[in-house]
Amino acid sequence: MFLINSKTNRIQKMQERSFSELGFKERENLQEWIANNSNALGEELLFIQKEFDGFDDTKERLDLMALDKEGNIVVIENKLDDTGRDVTWQVLKYASYCASLSKQQIKDIYQRYLDLYSINEDAETNLSEFFDSKDFDDLTLNKFQRVILIAGNFRKEVTSTVLWLLNNYKLRIQCFKVTPYSHKDELYLNIEQIIPIKEAEEYIISMAVKAQEDNVNQEELKNRHKIRLEFWKKLLEQINSTEITLYQNISPSKDNWISAGIGISGVGLNFVVSRSYARVEIYCSRSSQEENKFIFDELIKNKDEITKESGIEFTWQRMDSKKASRIKVELQGVSLYELTDWDKMISFMIENVDKMEKPFRKQLQKINRKLKNL
């Protein structure tokens, strides 16, 4: 840090000091400086308690507790010249303790703080004013918890843990480096946000939210896989107990479809399920788009015969812009994720695949002979 001398148009380096050499203490000094300046950390905070020890079954003390403008609890831990090794574990415990605090408990904690320090004010009134004169009953408090670490120096094991928490979880955690300086008889304090870098804070938080959402999506995907496996297991058990032999060697799948061959390589008689329909289809997915369209065109030439023999009005999808083609019959308004729909879906699929196999197999055998001559 430099001191600007506007008269000489020069800058003079200020002397960096440590809190210990200056005789400053963590509670008596650093904590008081922060608690008595609501904007010291770059935003307006309402400090509602110091040295809070009201957690159940523990005598641990939280340095500072505050609320931000969104009503989140802010856990603030102060260290002097060094964070130590275990400060991240310490604040995570505090944040977890605070997570269970109700709005009424927060108000009571704040009122005890006002009473303890002889501040003749009402907690409910102050809370209402801090949140732009909203009625206390309309306030939403402690939806999320935040963590702020303040220290003269951050050890590598602390910063690496903080960055891991910030980048991989939806925990808003900040590190502020505090450094005292002296110039002649004057003392100065620099408070600098180092994690996340202030200019990149919004971007980093948004990336952390995205990472959290990705993790949630992965968990949802695992659940979907389990549901699909159970559905296909039930369907295969039922269809293999009938005279239909097409799926006897097919195993349950985590995918939303299962397929059986029907006479031509790359053409399947498929079952497909989703959150909005159950489908039975002839799906042409050979490596050659030209061959898929040829098979589809040959089948649709015999559309009337196939419809009459199967008794099904199919939806014919040549899908000219894609490699594959499809012929389908579909049951709408049912969902794989509604267990009460499963029996209806399975009955529909088994009934229609039974009607489809014979007429399509007969036509595909003829088409297969033509394919060999292409």
Side-chain angles (χ1 to χ4, degrees), residues 34 37-43 45 47 76 148 150 176 191 193:
I34 301 298
N37 189 319
S38 62
N39 293 287
L41 301 176
E43 61 180 302
L45 297 174
F47 291 92
I76 303 172
I148 292 179
I150 304 172
F176 286 83
I191 303 177
Q193 181 174 324

Side-chain angles (χ1 to χ4, degrees), residues 325-365:
S325 293
R326 174 190 293 122
I327 304 154
K328 69 177 183 177
V329 59
E330 199 167 85
L331 177 65
Q332 294 281 345
V334 291
S335 174
L336 173 65
Y337 305 104
E338 295 291 340
L339 297 183
T340 54
D341 288 343
W342 282 19
D343 288 339
K344 185 178 180 180
M345 294 165 69
I346 290 171
S347 295
F348 170 85
M349 297 166 88
I350 293 176
E351 178 185 348
N352 283 280
V353 81
D354 190 32
K355 295 176 180 179
M356 291 171 65
E357 181 183 359
K358 185 178 178 181
F360 276 105
R361 186 182 292 277
K362 181 171 63 176
Q363 297 297 331
L364 288 168
Q365 286 173 348

Side-chain angles (χ1 to χ4, degrees), residues 78-307:
N78 304 301
K79 301 295 180 185
L80 281 178
D81 296 315
D82 187 87
T83 57
R85 300 176 184 273
D86 302 320
V87 67
T88 45
W89 167 237
Q90 187 177 0
V91 292
L92 287 177
K93 286 191 295 181
Y94 295 158
S96 71
Y97 299 156
C98 289
S100 63
L101 293 175
S102 68
K103 181 167 69 173
Q104 184 61 47
Q105 287 175 312
I106 291 170
K107 186 187 82 169
D108 293 342
I109 288 168
Y110 183 31
Q111 190 62 61
R112 289 197 295 272
Y113 170 76
L114 295 173
D115 295 342
L116 178 64
Y117 293 98
S118 301
I119 303 171
N120 189 27
E121 295 175 4
D122 177 67
E124 187 169 319
T125 301
N126 285 6
L127 286 165
S128 177
E129 290 177 355
F130 182 74
F131 293 105
D132 303 319
S133 299
K134 287 184 179 179
D135 189 275
F136 180 77
D137 291 336
D138 296 331
L139 296 179
T140 299
L141 302 182
N142 201 22
K143 186 175 181 180
F144 298 107
Q145 299 76 46
R146 293 174 49 193
V147 170
I148 292 179
L149 298 176
I150 304 172
N153 179 61
F154 287 84
R155 295 196 186 191
K156 183 177 180 180
E157 54 262 55
V158 172
T159 54
S160 63
T161 304
V162 167
L163 288 169
W164 176 72
L165 288 167
L166 184 62
N167 291 328
N168 292 281
Y169 297 91
K170 204 174 179 178
L171 175 65
R172 186 174 173 187
I173 183 166
Q174 298 161 280
C175 294
F176 286 83
K177 183 177 181 179
V178 285
T179 309
Y181 290 89
S182 65
H183 179 69
K184 297 182 179 178
D185 295 331
E186 297 291 331
L187 295 176
Y188 303 87
L189 182 68
N190 185 52
I191 303 177
E192 178 185 9
Q193 181 174 324
I194 61 170
I195 299 178
I197 298 172
K198 189 65 178 176
E199 289 74 13
E201 182 174 13
E202 184 175 342
Y203 171 77
I204 291 172
I205 291 172
S206 68
M207 290 301 293
V209 170
K210 180 181 181 300
Q212 180 72 7
E213 290 174 349
D214 289 344
N215 290 336
V216 171
N217 290 338
Q218 286 297 318
E219 289 302 314
E220 290 179 351
L221 184 61
K222 290 178 184 178
N223 290 333
R224 290 201 294 270
H225 289 172
K226 291 177 183 177
I227 292 170
R228 289 171 186 166
L229 284 168
E230 288 301 314
F231 179 85
W232 294 131
K233 181 180 178 181
K234 184 172 183 179
L235 180 141
L236 290 170
E237 285 175 352
Q238 291 193 29
I239 198 169
N240 290 332
S241 67
T242 70
E243 295 181 357
I244 302 171
T245 60
L246 199 59
Y247 297 88
Q248 286 185 346
N249 296 318
I250 304 299
S251 299
S253 168
K254 67 181 181 181
D255 297 315
N256 73 323
W257 57 272
I258 57 174
S259 179
I262 192 170
I264 297 181
S265 175
V267 178
L269 183 48
N270 299 350
F271 292 129
V272 186
V273 291
S274 79
R275 62 176 66 253
S276 60
Y277 63 78
R279 176 195 296 164
V280 188
E281 64 181 16
I282 295 293
Y283 195 70
C284 306
S285 58
R286 293 168 68 90
S287 59
S288 166
Q289 182 178 17
E290 181 183 1
E291 291 178 355
N292 291 327
K293 304 313 172 187
F294 174 80
I295 294 168
F296 180 89
D297 292 340
E298 290 295 310
L299 285 171
I300 205 168
K301 288 178 184 178
N302 297 282
K303 177 181 177 181
D304 292 342
E305 182 181 343
I306 293 171
T307 300

Side-chain angles (χ1 to χ4, degrees), residues 13-25:
K13 188 173 183 179
M14 299 175 66
Q15 183 180 355
E16 182 175 331
R17 308 291 293 273
S18 69
F19 291 109
S20 55
E21 70 172 299
L22 292 172
F24 290 126
K25 305 296 182 183

